[in-house]
Amino acid sequence: MRSNHVRLNCGITMPLIGLGTYSFPNDKKRTELAVHNALEMGYRHFDTAKIYGSEPALGKAINEAICEGEIEREDLFLTSKLWGSDHHDPVSALKQTLEKLGMEYLDMYLVHWPVKLKPWVNYPVPNEDDFEKLDLESTWAGMEKCLEMGLCRCIGVSNFSSKKIEWLLDCASTPPAVNQVEMHPMWKQGRLRKTCGDHKIHVSAYSPLGGPGNAWGSTAVVNHPIIQLIAFKHNATPAQVALKWGLSKGSSVIVKSFNQERMRENLGSFDLRLDNEDMLEIEKLEEMKIMRGEFHVNETTSPYKTIEELWDDEI
């Protein structure tokens, strides 16, 4: 197995650095160009979702590269996600995703959030009346059906707490291969990483830099004096330090910059070596549990008042 890949509990390998394709506003041409550039740089793992609106652009760029002989489908790892409004029928949802991508199968299909929404809710910030009671056993049975039908090679989850992971495992015939969550030096996810590790579930980090450049994000991670001092010590960038920390914890990282210089810089995190002193200094960073991502907890409309309630509410 190549050093820049991880072997998942489903038996397949996944590149440790993936390019996320969420952007706001969603710009099809810009996404296509970014994917072409990423392929030229060596990216082979691409992350999308129905709610991102980037599936058609990602598929178009990849299919163009395949047709031009630049890459083969078998060399790529493609991830997409089941949105909350599609929990009633994951198979149909995945078929629609594959049609948008122009692909015959996904490498990974994730349950995007442990939240069920009414079928017409195709926007990222649900209202209070948009929620339905989650039947995770039924949802997961649909995910397992996707796997049985050969529509994907692996199934997993995203934004699942330790409690919901344990609950899912009680009803799952096939365990999730991945739990994709926000994780970075100021939100280390220690408890969750242990729970997932105990069950051989790989933790994949989105917003591994803290989400700078996004409306909900923060530059607190890359601007933190400790991160910057470590970067200076190794003649690296703060982004590379943050990414290497995540990789050093055994996680994969999903980076989202479409800037060519930063895309190359992010791949360079593989070459950085953090010593024990560096890791101990990073462990001292305070936690910054701020909700990010395309789904937000709206304190005035959501039945969940905090991210902890969203993750840990007893169902």
Side-chain angles (χ1 to χ4, degrees):
M1 183 176 63
R2 288 165 286 182
S3 61
N4 60 352
H5 284 62
V6 61
R7 187 170 296 281
L8 304 174
N9 64 17
C10 56
I12 68 174
T13 61
M14 180 176 75
L16 283 166
I17 293 185
L19 182 73
T21 58
Y22 173 82
S23 63
F24 183 82
N26 180 35
D27 186 326
K28 186 173 185 291
K29 291 297 182 183
R30 184 166 173 258
T31 301
E32 289 175 20
L33 178 60
V35 172
H36 279 295
N37 289 335
L39 287 168
E40 291 178 6
M41 293 176 198
Y43 283 87
R44 294 296 180 264
H45 177 182
F46 295 89
D47 182 272
T48 184
K50 171 183 176 177
I51 201 65
Y52 298 169
S54 59
E55 290 172 336
L58 173 61
K60 184 173 184 293
I62 286 177
N63 279 301
E64 286 174 351
I66 291 173
C67 288
E68 293 170 8
E70 299 173 5
I71 191 70
E72 294 183 2
R73 171 64 182 91
E74 293 74 20
D75 296 326
L76 299 173
F77 193 98
L78 303 182
T79 296
S80 193
K81 308 177 189 77
L82 177 78
W83 184 237
S85 60
D86 294 320
H87 278 235
H88 64 288
D89 193 355
V91 170
S92 294
L94 179 47
K95 286 181 177 179
Q96 290 174 15
T97 280
L98 293 174
E99 184 176 353
K100 291 176 184 176
L101 285 166
M103 298 289 162
E104 294 182 355
Y105 66 92
L106 281 181
D107 298 281
M108 181 66 65
Y109 196 41
L110 306 177
V111 177
H112 205 155
W113 285 90
V115 167
K116 184 177 182 181
L117 302 170
K118 292 177 179 177
W120 60 82
V121 181
N122 289 320
Y123 38 88
V125 187
N127 300 310
E128 184 174 1
D129 293 339
D130 293 336
F131 291 85
E132 293 187 347
K133 183 174 175 58
L134 175 65
D135 180 356
L136 188 53
E137 184 173 359
S138 175
T139 297
W140 195 249
M143 297 291 286
E144 291 175 333
K145 185 67 174 178
C146 292
L147 189 62
E148 293 168 8
M149 294 174 66
L151 301 176
C152 56
R153 300 172 69 205
C154 260
I155 52 177
V157 296
S158 181
N159 300 298
F160 271 52
S161 66
S162 294
K163 185 180 294 185
K164 285 189 170 62
I165 288 289
E166 297 284 2
W167 183 52
L168 173 58
L169 291 171
D170 285 341
C171 65
S173 297
T174 301
V178 164
N179 186 12
Q180 187 185 112
V181 297
E182 179 175 359
M183 174 182 151
H184 48 69
M186 296 183 74
W187 194 353
K188 300 180 182 69
Q189 298 284 15
R191 175 189 169 201
L192 182 61
R193 284 190 284 113
K194 183 181 186 307
T195 298
C196 289
D198 289 345
H199 296 289
K200 296 181 172 56
I201 299 169
H202 175 76
V203 174
S204 187
Y206 70 77
S207 293
L209 306 180
N214 291 327
W216 58 83
S218 169
T219 60
V221 174
V222 293
N223 285 345
H224 197 285
I226 288 178
I227 298 294
Q228 294 195 337
L229 282 171
I230 293 171
F232 180 78
K233 169 183 171 181
H234 293 286
N235 193 28
T237 67
Q240 289 173 333
V241 172
L243 292 176
K244 188 62 179 186
W245 174 84
L247 294 169
S248 297
K249 292 298 182 180
S251 298
S252 54
V253 293
I254 306 299
V255 295
K256 291 199 293 185
S257 178
F258 286 178
N259 177 283
Q260 291 190 58
E261 181 178 351
R262 288 196 290 271
M263 289 165 69
R264 291 191 183 92
E265 174 187 305
N266 290 337
L267 286 178
S269 60
F270 278 129
D271 300 324
L272 178 60
R273 295 291 180 267
L274 299 179
D275 56 38
N276 290 336
E277 181 183 357
D278 300 328
M279 297 298 286
L280 288 172
E281 287 297 310
I282 293 174
E283 288 302 316
K284 296 177 184 177
L285 297 186
E286 294 181 0
E287 294 283 295
M288 181 185 65
K289 294 187 177 181
I290 299 174
M291 185 55 184
R292 308 192 213 293
E294 65 291 334
F295 180 93
H296 302 266
V297 172
N298 186 319
E299 293 187 358
T300 62
T301 62
S302 173
Y304 299 100
K305 298 305 181 187
T306 67
I307 182 58
E308 284 78 14
E309 288 184 37
L310 174 63
W311 276 32
D312 293 327
D313 186 32
E314 292 286 358
I315 298 176

